[in-house]
Amino acid sequence: MEQIIPSEPRAGRLALAAAGVTVLLWASAFVSIRSAGEHYSPGALALGRLLVGSLVLAAILVVRGEGWPKRAAWPGILGSGVLWFGLYMVALNWGEREVDAGTAAMIVNIGPILIALLGGLLLKEGFPARLMAGMAVSFAGAVVVGVSMSGGDSGSSVLGVLLCLAAAVLYAAGVVCQKPALRHGSALQVTTFGCVVGTVTCLPFAGQLATEVARAPLSATLNMVYLGVFPTALAFTTWAYALARTTAGKMGATTYIVPALVVLMSWMVLDEVPGWLTVAGGVLCLAGVAVSRGETGALLRRLRGRGAPAEAARRA
């Protein structure tokens, strides 16, 4: 007992550090996607990013000798691979061709509320009033963002908002799929094979990628490689590590600062700053998440509680 108790704060600090790495790298991804997207189409950029990420993760998996995850992990790996690693990245890449990086991050950060919504539908957790109120506030914020960008080429801006909303839905669905898989496989296993599944999902864009790699400037290709190594291989692994070791409510809370980091990074790197009405809409999106925070945290703590016996058996 004397050896176990001191390890708990240490595990919490490691999980917090892992979450911090994820937040910083995912924030940088919005900026890199915006930059690389000038030369790569959405599907080609997703496939290139996933190919790089899969190669890096597979090499680490071989070196560590972890092998294949248990059969029980595969439904979650397949679901998160197709929805989160594959379709989410295509939708986000496409959305960022139509809206700036900060706006995209604000809309996608509705995801934590949608995780709770999917949990209510799929896990019979119900729909508490606080959760529904938060959803209403966040979607009102998304509407404000769309209206604020309706000047000029309104079709493109509305399309961008819708694509980012679709990305938020895919992200939430992917997390709900991934959570049970982490009870039966390590963070590295679940991330590696999820990334491989996402790569296979994006293979229809292989022809586009081959054509665009030959024409794109080196800076754009390096951005794609960066996306594969850091926001994908590293950040998705640190996310899974933290999700398996902390309450998901705390994990969800860490993503609230992503839009602020993205706005700061996009201002410094891309000279992009959303208009005041867009920022107000983004604040509404985040306010809705904050309203729902208590219900989301309770749901995900219950999810973690359900996995505790399986985790204890796996460690035994």
Side-chain angles (χ1 to χ4, degrees), residues 82-152:
V82 172
L83 297 173
W84 195 7
F85 286 87
L87 299 181
Y88 161 82
M89 290 192 183
V90 175
L92 179 60
N93 293 346
W94 192 359
E96 285 207 53
R97 293 170 72 95
E98 310 294 341
V99 301
D100 62 79
T103 301
M106 291 175 185
I107 300 173
V108 171
N109 213 41
I110 295 173
I113 293 178
L114 300 181
I115 293 172
L117 173 62
L118 290 175
L121 288 171
L122 301 178
L123 304 175
K124 310 303 181 184
E125 297 287 345
F127 302 96
R130 184 172 179 175
L131 170 62
M132 302 306 293
M135 288 181 58
V137 173
S138 284
F139 278 101
V143 171
V144 171
V145 171
V147 170
S148 72
M149 300 183 63
S150 62

Side-chain angles (χ1 to χ4, degrees), residues 236-265:
F236 273 81
T237 302
T238 52
W239 163 273
Y241 175 90
L243 183 62
R245 289 164 174 79
T246 66
T247 65
K250 291 181 180 179
M251 273 302 294
T254 63
T255 66
Y256 300 162
I257 64 173
V258 168
L261 291 174
V262 173
V263 169
L264 178 62
M265 291 179 181

Side-chain angles (χ1 to χ4, degrees), residues 188-209:
L188 180 59
Q189 288 174 323
V190 171
T191 303
T192 299
F193 288 99
C195 193
V196 171
V197 170
T199 302
V200 173
T201 302
C202 293
L203 281 179
F205 302 107
Q208 291 181 6
L209 177 61

Side-chain angles (χ1 to χ4, degrees), residues 47-57 224-229 233:
L47 177 58
R49 171 181 179 176
L50 289 167
L51 278 171
V52 173
S54 294
L55 290 173
V56 172
L57 286 166
M224 182 172 66
V225 171
Y226 170 82
L227 285 166
V229 175

